[in-house]
């Protein structure tokens, strides 16, 4: 079974530039998560989708971050403009069904460095 | 609000020593509980999970965890660690719909 695919693996940008990350969840998984993992910390939930609808985006800095999940499959996360403190690994995860009583499967992540 | 606490930031053990990593959560309702592991350079992988039933759950690679509802705890244990267990360990809790992670515990096993 193919896992959660993310691209790119690494990205270096200057502050105030914009960047986009892509995630392809496991086939058939209805729930998709984006997490931000800053070095030395645990993953922090940014946004959770159920199919193509947003379940929770309370931790998403909406002045600069946006995410979409068109057609309930792939998802993109965008940062515009980036700040130095956005340097982190951005993790995408998916789980079958609505999430409850299921595990989340994680991708390799995209390591973003903002200089 | 939901939160997860992992009290041990960095644990260093010799091979064959026993391991116990603490995890406490705050959430008043029914929860799903997880331990994930992240080996160096790899993605997060599930070690074990608790949804319901027997509070003592067994996972991969000889790990187990016990859910103690009265203490809001889900501690991870392994009777004898190996060098290959060197990794970062994350406790995660799902209450309602959201999946929250602790700050992680780095385990270093010395051969």
């Amino acid at each position: 079974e193919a896992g959660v695919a993310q691209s790119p693996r690494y990205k270096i940008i200057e502050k105030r530039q914009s960047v986009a990350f892509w995630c392809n969840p496991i086939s058939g998984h209805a729930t998709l998560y984006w997490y931000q993992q800053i070095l030395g910390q645990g993953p922090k939930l940014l946004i959770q989708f159920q199919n193509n609808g947003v379940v929770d985006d309370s931790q998403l800095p909406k002045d600069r971050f946006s995410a979409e999940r068109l057609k309930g499959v792939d998802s993109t996360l965008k940062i515009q403009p980036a700040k130095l403190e956005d340097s982190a690994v951005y993790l995408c995860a998916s789980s079958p069904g609505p999430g409850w009583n299921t595990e989340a499967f994680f991708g390799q992540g995209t390591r973003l460095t903002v200089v | 609000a939901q939160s997860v606490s992992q009290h041990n930031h960095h644990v260093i053990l010799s091979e064959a020593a026993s391991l116990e990593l603490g995890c406490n959560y705050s959430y008043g309702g029914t929860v799903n509980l997880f331990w994930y592991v992240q080996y160096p350079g790899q993605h997060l992988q599930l070690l074990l999970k608790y949804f319901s039933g027997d509070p003592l759950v067994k996972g991969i690679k000889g790990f187990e965890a016990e859910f103690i509802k009265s203490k809001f705890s889900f501690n991870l244990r392994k009777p004898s660690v190996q060098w290959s267990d060197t990794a970062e360990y994350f406790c995660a809790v799902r209450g309602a719909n959201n999946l929250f992670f602790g700050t992680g515990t780095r385990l270093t096993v010395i051969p």
Side-chain angles (χ1 to χ4, degrees):
Chain A
E1 178 184 83
V4 177
Q6 290 188 248
S7 67
R9 286 294 309 278
Y10 305 94
K11 190 75 178 178
I12 301 174
I13 62 172
E14 295 182 350
K15 59 183 179 184
R16 292 187 289 274
Q17 285 187 322
S18 58
V19 64
F21 313 127
W22 174 81
C23 172
N24 185 18
I26 293 172
S27 178
H29 280 196
T31 304
L32 186 146
Y33 311 83
W34 281 103
Y35 285 87
Q36 179 194 58
Q37 187 176 15
I38 292 172
L39 188 64
Q41 299 182 19
K44 173 188 143 187
L45 180 68
L46 291 176
I47 188 167
Q48 178 180 339
F49 291 95
Q50 177 69 24
N51 296 309
N52 60 352
V54 175
V55 173
D56 184 358
D57 63 356
S58 58
Q59 299 293 308
L60 188 73
K62 298 182 187 64
D63 58 333
R64 297 184 301 107
F65 286 64
S66 64
E68 61 183 8
R69 190 182 185 197
L70 299 175
K71 300 180 182 178
V73 182
D74 293 6
S75 178
T76 56
L77 176 69
K78 297 179 182 177
I79 308 175
Q80 181 178 6
K83 293 185 176 182
L84 296 176
E85 59 260 36
D86 298 332
S87 294
V89 176
Y90 290 85
L91 299 168
C92 179
S94 70
S95 61
W100 188 252
N101 283 354
T102 62
E103 66 182 87
F105 295 82
F106 283 81
Q108 295 270 26
T110 296
R111 183 177 297 278
L112 173 67
T113 302
V114 182
V115 297
Chain B
Q2 206 171 304
S3 67
V4 183
S5 297
Q6 290 184 247
H7 308 296
N8 313 105
H9 184 63
H10 189 190
V11 173
I12 302 173
L13 295 172
S14 297
E15 273 192 319
S18 63
L19 169 72
E20 181 159 3
L21 301 182
C23 173
N24 288 90
Y25 66 93
S26 64
Y27 185 75
T30 305
V31 292
N32 290 167
L33 299 162
F34 307 85
W35 276 96
Y36 280 85
V37 61
Q38 190 167 31
Y39 298 104
Q42 296 189 27
H43 63 283
L44 281 163
Q45 302 171 43
L46 184 71
L47 264 184
L48 47 78
K49 62 193 177 192
Y50 171 81
F51 293 158
S52 63
D54 188 345
L56 183 63
V57 293
K58 296 191 183 298
I60 60 172
K61 303 186 180 184
F63 286 91
E64 65 177 31
E66 185 176 11
F67 170 46
I68 303 179
K69 189 175 181 179
S70 61
K71 295 185 178 180
F72 297 90
S73 69
F74 190 55
N75 292 353
L76 180 71
R77 299 193 292 249
K78 186 171 183 177
S80 176
V81 295
Q82 300 172 313
W83 176 79
S84 58
D85 293 326
T86 294
E88 187 108 22
Y89 292 80
F90 294 94
C91 179
V93 176
R94 179 186 284 120
N97 285 318
N98 303 330
L99 183 60
F100 281 83
F101 283 79
T103 52
T105 297
R106 180 153 45 111
L107 172 65
T108 301
V109 181
I110 302 169

